[in-house]
Structures are given as C-alpha cells and as structure tokens.
Amino acid sequence: MRLQTPQTLVLLAAPLLLAGLAAAQSLPSPSRNVFKCDEGGRVVYSDVPCMGAKKVEVEPTRGVSKLSGKERVGDDVRREVFREQVAEALRPIGGMNPRQHDTFAQRVRLSPEAQRECRQLDSQLPALEQIERQASGAELTAVQRRLFALRSRFRELGC
C-alpha cells in the first residue's frame, strides 16, 4: 500500500470540499451581529444597527442534544459544522481559523474595492467602539453617529 502525500490528499479531497462549500454558500450565513437599540423607551434587538446601539455578542445554539439524550441538529447546523471542519482541515495551508474562513468565504464574492473597505472597517469599528465606551456628552453623540454610519456601511457592503 502506497502512502499518500499531503498534496495528493488535498487533490483527492478537493472535489468533495468544493461541492460542500458550494452547497454551504447557497444560503446566506446567519448574522452574528446583534444590536441592542432603545426605540422610544422600548429595548429592541436587531441585526440592523441604530443610533446609540450597543453591540451584543451572540453565539447561536447548535441543537438540543442534551434534552433527549440523542443528537438532534438541523441541516443548517450540519452545514456549519462541515464548514468548520473544512476550515480546520485547510488551516495548515491558509492559516485561517473557522471564523476567518467564513469571513473570507463570504467576502470572496465582493469586488476588490469592497473587500478593501471591509478590511478597513474591520479595524475601524472596534477602535470606535472602544472610544464610545469612554466618551460622554457631545463627544458621545458624535462618536455614536460615526459608529452608526460605519456599521451601516459594513452591512450595506455585505462584509
């Protein structure tokens, strides 16, 4: 029996990986950006940014395995797990973790200009969110306006 080299294994697995990625990319990935907004005294959670929104870190559930003792997951979770496994398998080649891989796969369809702008927003948003946490008064309002504009652009571009 002949041992396969890593390059041969990648070539053999490439058609399967490409088919899986094509199937996984047919649906838009769920938004993990959730914003807590105050609308007329009511707290509203949305994936659309608003003025003065607070970003909420969320991680979607992956089924109800613990309740019944059986693993019960939907097709969306199976696709997500498959994408993560593909990303981990490609990590030695591309150096990206599963989240970075998802971001790359989502942005690959964007124009080079949009991809460049998304990378700029990736660094600008956290910095501005940090400034927002420390600002007050008129400065806070100005920072929130800028943050709203950047978040809206991020969403508009499909980053």
Side-chain angles (χ1 to χ4, degrees):
M1 180 173 167
R2 192 178 126 203
L3 293 175
Q4 301 292 332
T5 64
Q7 293 85 1
T8 306
L9 292 175
V10 169
L11 290 175
L12 292 173
L16 175 63
L17 293 174
L18 291 174
L21 288 174
Q25 290 181 4
S26 63
L27 292 174
S29 62
S31 174
R32 295 200 174 160
N33 294 325
V34 176
F35 301 100
K36 180 180 176 182
C37 302
D38 183 15
E39 293 182 358
R42 267 186 27 211
V43 174
V44 178
Y45 293 90
S46 175
D47 63 343
V48 179
C50 63
M51 274 295 293
K54 300 295 179 209
K55 191 172 181 183
V56 180
E57 296 294 325
V58 296
E59 190 65 35
T61 61
R62 294 217 165 170
V64 289
S65 305
K66 303 289 183 199
L67 296 176
S68 65
K70 289 183 172 182
E71 184 175 15
R72 294 177 185 252
V73 294
D75 291 338
D76 56 337
V77 173
R78 282 190 195 92
R79 282 190 296 271
E80 186 174 351
V81 169
F82 177 76
R83 283 194 311 265
E84 288 173 0
Q85 290 170 342
V86 168
E88 283 298 331
L90 296 175
R91 190 177 206 158
I93 298 168
M96 293 185 282
N97 66 35
R99 185 161 281 185
Q100 292 167 327
H101 192 269
D102 277 349
T103 300
F104 174 79
Q106 182 177 347
R107 293 181 181 174
V108 76
R109 297 174 292 220
L110 301 177
S111 71
E113 296 79 23
Q115 289 180 25
R116 191 174 317 106
E117 192 172 348
C118 286
R119 284 191 299 274
Q120 288 173 344
L121 290 170
D122 284 341
S123 62
Q124 290 174 345
L125 283 168
L128 201 55
E129 288 168 352
Q130 178 66 29
I131 292 170
E132 179 192 31
R133 285 190 282 277
Q134 298 170 351
S136 62
E139 181 188 8
L140 176 62
T141 304
V143 169
Q144 287 178 335
R145 279 193 189 112
R146 179 74 179 134
L147 195 53
F148 175 68
L150 292 181
R151 286 174 173 164
S152 296
R153 182 66 180 153
F154 189 88
R155 182 175 166 78
E156 179 184 310
L157 287 170
C159 298

